[in-house]
Amino acid sequence: MKTLTSIGHLHRGTPVTADIAELHAARLLLLLRHAGRSNRIAGLTKLAKLDFFVRYPEFFERLTRTGPSESAAVEPPMIRFLYGPWDPRYYELLPYLEARGLITIEASRSTYNFKLTPFGIDIANQISGEECFSNLAELTAQVGARLGGLRGGQLKRLVYQTFEEEVGALRLKEEIAHG
């Protein structure tokens, strides 16, 4: 099993496919901390679309016309689903974070709200301070500053309209390629 401790011997610049639960969890904590409003993201659709722009920084750069950003790791691909880019691991990772007291998940009508707990804020701040996560923390902050004020449906439409060929034209469950 791949864990953070089992890959600790790798050279700092070695790209790692981030198909490790702890790395996905860390990215989601950073997303809630830096891209959420008051450490909170309303809706799974919004969380997934913000995560898309973090995991695919080349799409974020094209959308915002910013310069190239450095990615901390090569992220595994997301799939095209009914409401845009999606990762089925959310169903495992979000309860994982909740069970460890890092986030709360509250149902409100037909949506879920995700919020960092005080403990989750402390952990997200610690992760943000680690040199190996500095690029990811910066990118989540940039995504939050530019797109965090949009609702999930607005983000979905933005992805489909802006990246019709790369995302919208794909079949359901087809992997979204990195550009």
Side-chain angles (χ1 to χ4, degrees):
M1 170 182 260
K2 288 183 186 179
T3 67
L4 286 176
T5 54
S6 71
I7 64 167
H9 69 281
L10 296 176
H11 184 275
R12 185 173 150 341
T14 304
V16 176
T17 299
D19 203 7
I20 300 171
E22 293 97 331
L23 293 177
H24 285 296
R27 186 187 66 251
L28 291 176
L29 289 175
L30 291 175
L31 194 64
L32 284 162
R33 181 71 176 121
H34 298 292
R37 297 295 185 243
S38 300
N39 302 304
R40 175 183 171 276
I41 293 178
L44 197 47
T45 299
K46 181 172 182 172
L47 178 81
K49 299 322 153 259
L50 293 174
D51 191 31
F52 167 74
F53 285 110
V54 170
R55 290 169 69 170
Y56 290 81
E58 64 275 15
F59 287 108
F60 180 66
E61 292 162 11
R62 285 174 47 199
L63 179 72
T64 59
R65 292 176 172 61
T66 59
S69 63
E70 295 181 37
S71 181
V74 177
E75 298 286 352
M78 296 177 83
I79 61 170
R80 192 260 191 199
F81 208 61
L82 297 172
Y83 299 107
W86 180 253
D87 188 337
R89 282 169 268 204
Y90 294 134
Y91 292 127
E92 298 167 14
L93 292 168
L94 294 165
Y96 171 89
L97 292 169
E98 183 182 40
R100 281 150 184 80
L102 299 167
I103 68 170
T104 59
I105 302 173
E106 295 178 3
S108 173
R109 295 187 187 173
S110 63
T111 193
Y112 290 99
N113 296 306
F114 308 96
K115 185 174 182 177
L116 288 173
T117 63
F119 179 53
I121 293 170
D122 289 343
I123 297 299
N125 288 340
Q126 287 178 29
I127 293 168
S128 295
E130 295 291 328
E131 186 178 342
C132 62
F133 284 101
S134 63
N135 291 338
L136 186 58
E138 173 69 23
L139 181 57
T140 57
Q142 290 174 3
V143 167
R146 297 295 286 267
L147 304 172
L150 299 176
R151 293 186 315 273
Q154 292 173 308
L155 288 166
K156 176 191 76 165
R157 285 187 295 279
L158 181 67
V159 168
Y160 277 151
Q161 290 168 357
T162 309
F163 307 109
E164 164 57 29
E165 186 177 314
E166 300 91 337
V167 179
L170 298 177
R171 293 184 316 274
L172 289 182
K173 298 185 181 180
E174 190 172 351
E175 287 186 357
I176 301 167
H178 282 274

